[in-house]
Amino acid sequence: GQQVMQIPQYQHVQEGEDFTTYCNSSTTLSNIQWYKQRPGGHPVFLIQLVKSGEVKKQKRLTFQFGEAKKNSSLHITATQTTDVGTYFCAGRRSNYKLTFGKGTLLTVNP
Amino acid sequence: DVKVTQSSRYLVKRTGEKVFLECVQDMDHENMFWYRQDPGLGLRLIYFSYDVKMKEKGDIPEGYSVSREKKERFSLILESASTNQTSMYLCASSRGQGDYGYTFGSGTRLTVV
């Protein structure tokens, strides 16, 4: 079945450092979504990327979708303690289902 | 504000019990989903539904069933709870047939003893 691999599993940074998580699919995706789950919380939808090579920004967060629509990345510039949480990518093929990556847990040392 | 409400935040049940997890959304969303979340395994899809009375198996449906009698409500049923079903259960909903983000409920942490 469809696999969505996400790395790294964990990332610990000092406040102010940058952070990147990567997502790779075994198959071409129609779109990819990103979610954030705060500790003790539930996943919250951040953004969706649809077009090949698409780049979207939300303040300090930059999301990219690869040219082949098989990989994606989330980059956070100058992390803050409020960025702590698990970031999930989720890829969709031609059906309704999303396949989630296992997530990257980000911790930030103030 | 869009809301997905799960009936219980914490639940403790005994092995062999029949367990009902309820999920209600107030956004008139067509699609509803049940996931379980376990450390190191991420979110795994159990069942989903695109419409009332319609259901489809996800990636790990064994030991579970679902019911969707009304558009706003999607129930997950553990026919005979087992200890390996101890987990965080997350309900989600989304609009139509297009590409929309999911709205998740706060989750039910189920412990089977």
Side-chain angles (χ1 to χ4, degrees):
Chain A
Q2 181 184 355
Q3 298 261 349
V4 175
M5 307 301 292
Q6 195 172 350
I7 57 169
Q9 192 174 357
Y10 307 98
Q11 184 78 60
H12 178 74
V13 300
Q14 290 292 128
E15 191 171 20
E17 291 182 340
D18 292 356
F19 159 77
T20 305
T21 174
Y22 300 91
C23 195
N24 288 286
S25 169
S26 55
T27 57
T28 302
L29 301 170
S30 62
N31 64 61
I32 196 158
Q33 298 179 359
W34 286 91
Y35 292 78
K36 177 183 178 181
Q37 185 175 22
R38 295 182 185 275
H42 56 275
V44 174
F45 174 71
L46 294 176
I47 207 161
Q48 177 174 269
L49 304 171
V50 179
K51 299 175 184 174
S52 169
E54 189 169 14
V55 178
K56 287 188 175 180
K57 292 192 175 185
Q58 289 180 350
K59 297 182 180 178
R60 295 178 293 105
L61 277 62
T62 302
F63 304 84
Q64 293 190 351
F65 200 11
E67 294 291 341
K69 301 183 74 172
K70 284 188 172 183
N71 60 286
S72 181
S73 64
L74 158 59
H75 179 82
I76 301 178
T77 304
T79 55
Q80 300 174 0
T81 54
T82 52
D83 295 325
V84 163
T86 301
Y87 292 86
F88 293 95
C89 62
R92 188 195 307 273
R93 289 193 296 177
S94 56
N95 55 26
Y96 298 99
K97 289 194 304 182
L98 282 179
T99 299
F100 282 81
K102 292 185 179 179
T104 297
L105 173 61
L106 171 65
T107 55
V108 179
N109 200 29
Chain B
D1 198 19
V2 162
K3 253 200 170 147
V4 176
T5 303
Q6 294 184 231
S7 54
S8 304
R9 184 77 174 114
Y10 298 96
L11 213 51
V12 180
K13 295 291 181 181
R14 295 196 179 276
T15 301
E17 276 193 78
K18 191 168 185 176
V19 181
F20 293 85
L21 302 183
E22 306 289 345
C23 176
V24 177
Q25 49 97 1
D26 64 0
M27 301 160 283
D28 201 35
H29 282 176
E30 287 78 8
N31 309 320
M32 296 189 75
F33 309 85
W34 275 106
Y35 286 86
R36 63 178 283 178
Q37 185 173 26
D38 301 287
L41 297 178
L43 285 88
R44 293 181 291 167
L45 181 64
I46 305 171
Y47 266 97
F48 58 103
S49 169
Y50 299 140
D51 202 352
V52 176
K53 297 192 185 295
M54 177 273 173
K55 59 187 179 185
E56 283 201 31
K57 293 179 180 179
D59 301 316
I60 52 164
E62 296 78 18
Y64 304 94
S65 62
V66 289
S67 172
R68 195 167 181 200
E69 296 296 317
K70 292 185 177 181
K71 189 176 185 180
E72 66 271 19
R73 186 180 296 270
F74 193 35
S75 303
L76 179 69
I77 304 153
L78 285 67
E79 297 291 342
S80 177
S82 64
T83 54
N84 63 13
Q85 292 178 310
T86 292
S87 186
M88 171 66 83
Y89 289 87
L90 290 162
C91 176
S93 72
S94 72
R95 288 173 58 188
Q97 295 185 12
D99 298 325
Y100 300 102
Y102 289 8
T103 301
F104 282 87
S106 298
T108 295
R109 184 164 292 282
L110 173 68
T111 303
V112 182
V113 297

